[in-house]
């Protein structure tokens, strides 16, 4: 019997994780990537001796990734060298900083020193959110292709833990009195591109995940993860085609029978796994006539995450400062409102700073630092003119970092600088409306109400990545790949049984 041929569109972490699982089970797998590099948003670039992760820089719950490698008879540690970051990050509020550790006793002590009497609230948060996590993980790790899934015991059992009707900020208000501590345990909603005042309370598990499982950095950067998975795909005989975009899906009676590449090649396959940005794929490679739920017009009405303004700075200086720093705006709520609701540029942005060279000597020459600065900003529904505003906003980010942190002299020691604006995310990196964290994660766009892993509009079509269940963030993207691969395995078992 001929091996089933599966094409994966997009060499991001979700696509490569799915490709690895499928290739490891004997499928004929080919990955098609429009860019000249692997990883999508989880990729890297090197310039004049400096190497930068393009997108994600945090990895938590590495055991999920380890399980994916185990599933195909490989050891993750043979491909990746993980470094745990401790303290996990510096959370900086004006002149006050918090340095959480995975060691809960250390974190409690640090909280009590800075916020007297608040340490017990932290321990209560960890105890109660562990119960929430245990209830929610079976829901997040399983498919949601039918409304009947909500009647399953695993979902019914999880309902009391969903914090329905409460925002993430409201949930954390139960544990902490000080506003800064509430923000210290809700800023992770930015991983979803959402405001903690809008983000569903169920996502308190995000900060728990970091505090429970730690924060890790693979030597060489997170870009090494898709590279490692691609290597495994090739070890199993899979092919990866870089610089090979997909122009459109070839369909017949709403059933995918192949793809047409940007070079005009028409290639037959049995199934397609789409890892491209979901809304971008639906509006470019799928004919609108083949869609009903996710037409161009309907996609414009969906809710989307914020975007990010990126500065990659190679500086001839080192900083004995944390690997990760989150610099909070003086009025964080106002800043978040500007990003998510009024959609204007903030005069006092919150900024994430990665100083990876303090941990990883592979990213820059000795005595130099590969710095990564990120400011959450509105997506392109804002109609902000980035060509006009780019330079001034860049200078504002530098000014805030140099004024409020120990990262002094960045501009004076600058050797390399690259900028990515929301417009660049959309036009150069193919992210719909520059919404770097994909579809928003409100309750109306989660689980069954998110695009299904077995895509409901086309036969032989599957989804992985942040635009499908369970959502954005590397651990959940890896879970999307596992869910989708298992769905394909199960579907093929049914076919084999029926034939």
């Amino acid at each position: 019997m001929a091996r089933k041929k599966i094409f994966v569109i997009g060499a991001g972490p979700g696509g490569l994780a799915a490709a690895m699982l499928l290739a490891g089970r004997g499928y004929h797998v080919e990955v098609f990537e429009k860019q000249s590099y692997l990883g999508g948003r989880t990729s890297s670039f090197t310039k004049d001796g400096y190497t930068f992760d393009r997108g994600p820089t945090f990895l938590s719950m590495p055991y999920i990734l380890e399980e994916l490698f185990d599933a195909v008879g490989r050891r993750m540690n043979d491909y990746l060298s993980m470094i745990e970051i401790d303290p996990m990050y510096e959370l900086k509020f004006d002149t006050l900083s918090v340095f959480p550790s995975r060691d809960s006793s250390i974190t409690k002590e640090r909280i009590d020193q800075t916020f007297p009497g608040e340490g017990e609230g932290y321990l209560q948060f960890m105890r109660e959110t562990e119960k929430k996590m245990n209830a929610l993980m079976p829901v997040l790790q399983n498919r949601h292709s039918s409304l009947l899934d909500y009647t399953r015991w695993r979902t019914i059992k999880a309902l009391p833990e969903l914090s329905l009707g409460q925002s993430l900020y409201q949930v954390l208000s139960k544990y902490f009195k000080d506003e800064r501590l509430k923000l210290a345990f809700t800023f992770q909603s930015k991983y979803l591109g959402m405001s903690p005042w809008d983000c569903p309370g169920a996502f308190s598990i995000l900060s728990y995940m970091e505090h429970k499982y730690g924060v890790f950095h693979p030597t060489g950067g997170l870009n090494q993860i898709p590279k490692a998975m691609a290597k495994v795909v090739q070890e199993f005989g899979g092919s990866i085609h870089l610089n090979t975009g997909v122009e459109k899906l070839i369909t017949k009676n709403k059933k995918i029978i192949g793809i047409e590449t940007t070079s005009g090649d028409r290639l037959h396959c049995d199934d397609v796994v789409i890892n491209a940005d979901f809304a971008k794929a639906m509006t470019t490679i799928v004919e609108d006539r083949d869609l009903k739920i996710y037409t161009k017009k309907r996609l414009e009405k969906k809710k989307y995450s914020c975007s990010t303004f990126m500065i990659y700075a190679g500086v001839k200086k080192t900083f004995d400062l944390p690997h990760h720093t989150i610099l909070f705006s003086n009025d964080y709520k106002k800043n978040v409102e500007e990003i998510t609701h009024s959609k204007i540029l903030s005069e006092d942005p919150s900024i994430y700073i990665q100083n990876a060279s303090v941990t990883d000597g592979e990213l820059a020459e000795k005595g130099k630092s590969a710095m990564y600065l990120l400011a959450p900003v509105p997506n392109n529904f804002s109609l902000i003119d980035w060509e006009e505003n780019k330079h001034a906003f860049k200078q504002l980010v530098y000014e805030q970092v140099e004024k409020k942190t120990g990262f002094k002299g960045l501009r004076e020691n600058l050797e390399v600088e690259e900028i990515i604006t929301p417009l660049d995310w959309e036009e150069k990196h193919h992210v719909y409306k520059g919404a770097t964290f994909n579809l928003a994660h409100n309750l109306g766009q989660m689980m069954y109400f998110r695009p299904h892993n077995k895509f409901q509009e086309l036969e032989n079509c599957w989804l992985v990545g942040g635009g499908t269940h369970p959502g954005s963030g590397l651990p959940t993207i890896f879970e999307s790949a596992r869910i989708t691969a298992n769905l394909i395995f199960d579907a093929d078992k049914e076919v084999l049984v029926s034939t």
Side-chain angles (χ1 to χ4, degrees), residues 17-18 21-22 25 27 68 71 141-143 453-454 462 464 478-494:
L21 293 172
L22 293 165
R25 287 284 288 264
Y27 289 84
L68 299 187
Q141 290 177 318
N142 280 279
R143 63 199 71 173
N453 301 81
K454 184 182 189 303
W462 313 83
V464 294
F478 295 143
E479 289 292 4
S480 81
R482 178 153 53 183
I483 291 167
T484 296
N486 286 336
L487 280 167
I488 293 172
F489 302 153
D490 291 348
D492 289 344
K493 281 179 192 173
E494 290 175 13

Side-chain angles (χ1 to χ4, degrees), residues 48 279 289 303 329 332 404 425 460 474 476 480:
D48 297 341
R289 66 171 181 265
K303 295 182 179 179
S329 167
Y332 187 69
K404 295 181 177 181
W425 280 123
N460 302 342
L474 284 178
T476 41
S480 81

